[in-house]
């Protein structure tokens, strides 16, 4: 159920059938001190549901906009990104090229203005159409895995799930060419708009079903997916170069999603299952 549906159902009277026949209160109406507080039955929807009603992040974002940040720490400043990079390094990200790329790309340009103040926090954020931009920590971890053992820049890279285009922008600093596919037209267009500012000549945005990969750009030195399915689509393995690596979320035997690394070698395919993750589902077709 999305946020709008929650709000609509909260606006409904408790007993809609009683609202018509009931006596209307006289004036002045005495408001109970608990007016506006969700009733116990509403609160008993569960902790997640009651969290949805709290307009916390928006409130914080608006407060942030009202109080301008001190000089030198505005979102355009390198300082906020350096702080994010320091945190990533403390969390265990070691690849200097990944840290440098993350320090370069202005993440706040990829989210709604109301959420921009949270852009450098280690959190995933909504980007529209029910999708999310991954946490900086997850982006860095996946890019580090993608580059593991490769000293210099990657060659051609295929990204499945462009979303808002943030990860494609980071990748553009780590690869010679980036082919990024998105199945939702609205997001494909949003990413195009977001990326215009950066003028990244080596990022190619494609609209289509990424489960089929993009054969014209194959073979790829690396493939990275930002959406997880029940299995790795065979097209991705076919389009991966020998010596190449694929990093993607995938549903494992336990039903949980985990990060999977696939190496394509002369001897065949090697698959490694890593930590649990929470990505949006990989879906077929376009919309
Ligand atoms: N890397 C993105 C994360 C976006 S979330 C960013 O930085 O913003 C994952 C995206 O994968 C969603 O936009 C979703 O629509 C997309 N997706 C899911 N299945 C897909 C498929 N088969 N082909 C292409 N994109 C897909």
């Amino acid at each position: 159920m999305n946020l709008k549906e929650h709000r609509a159902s909260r606006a409904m009277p408790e007993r809609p059938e009683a609202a018509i026949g009931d006596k209307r209160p006289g004036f002045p109406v005495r408001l109970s001190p608990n007016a506006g507080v969700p009733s116990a039955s509403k609160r008993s929807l569960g902790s997640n549901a009651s969290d949805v009603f709290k307009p916390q992040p928006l409130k914080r974002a608006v407060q942030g906009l009202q109080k301008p940040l001190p000089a030198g720490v505005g979102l355009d400043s390198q300082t906020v990104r350096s702080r994010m990079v320091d945190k990533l390094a403390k969390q265990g990200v070691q690849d200097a090229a990944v840290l440098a790329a993350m320090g370069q790309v202005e993440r706040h340009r990829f989210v709604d203005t109301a959420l921009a103040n949270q852009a450098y926090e280690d959190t995933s954020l909504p980007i529209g159409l029910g999708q999310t931009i991954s946490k900086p920590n997850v982006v860095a971890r996946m890019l580090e895995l993608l580059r593991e053992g490769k000293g210099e820049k990657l060659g051609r890279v295929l990204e499945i799930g462009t979303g808002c285009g943030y990860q494609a922008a980071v990748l553009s600093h780590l690869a010679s060419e980036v082919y990024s596919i998105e199945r939702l037209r609205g997001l494909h267009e949003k990413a195009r708009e977001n990326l215009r500012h950066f003028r990244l000549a080596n990022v190619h945005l494609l609209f289509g079903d990424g489960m089929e990969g993009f054969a014209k750009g194959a073979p790829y030195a690396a493939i990275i997916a930002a959406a997880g399915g029940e299995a790795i689509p065979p097209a991705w393995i076919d389009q991966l170069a020998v010596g190449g690596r694929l990093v993607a979320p995938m549903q494992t035997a336990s039903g949980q999603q985990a990060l999977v690394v696939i190496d394509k070698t002369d001897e065949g395919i090697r698959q490694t299952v890593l930590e649990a993750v929470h990505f949006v589902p990989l879906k077929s077709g376009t919309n």
Side-chain angles (χ1 to χ4, degrees), residues 240-267:
L240 191 62
V242 173
R245 175 172 270 200
L246 182 156
V247 179
M250 193 186 85
Q251 203 171 306
T252 59
S254 67
Q256 262 204 330
Q257 220 182 43
L259 219 46
V260 167
V261 171
I262 289 180
D263 290 304
K264 189 164 171 178
T265 69
D266 282 329
E267 289 86 49

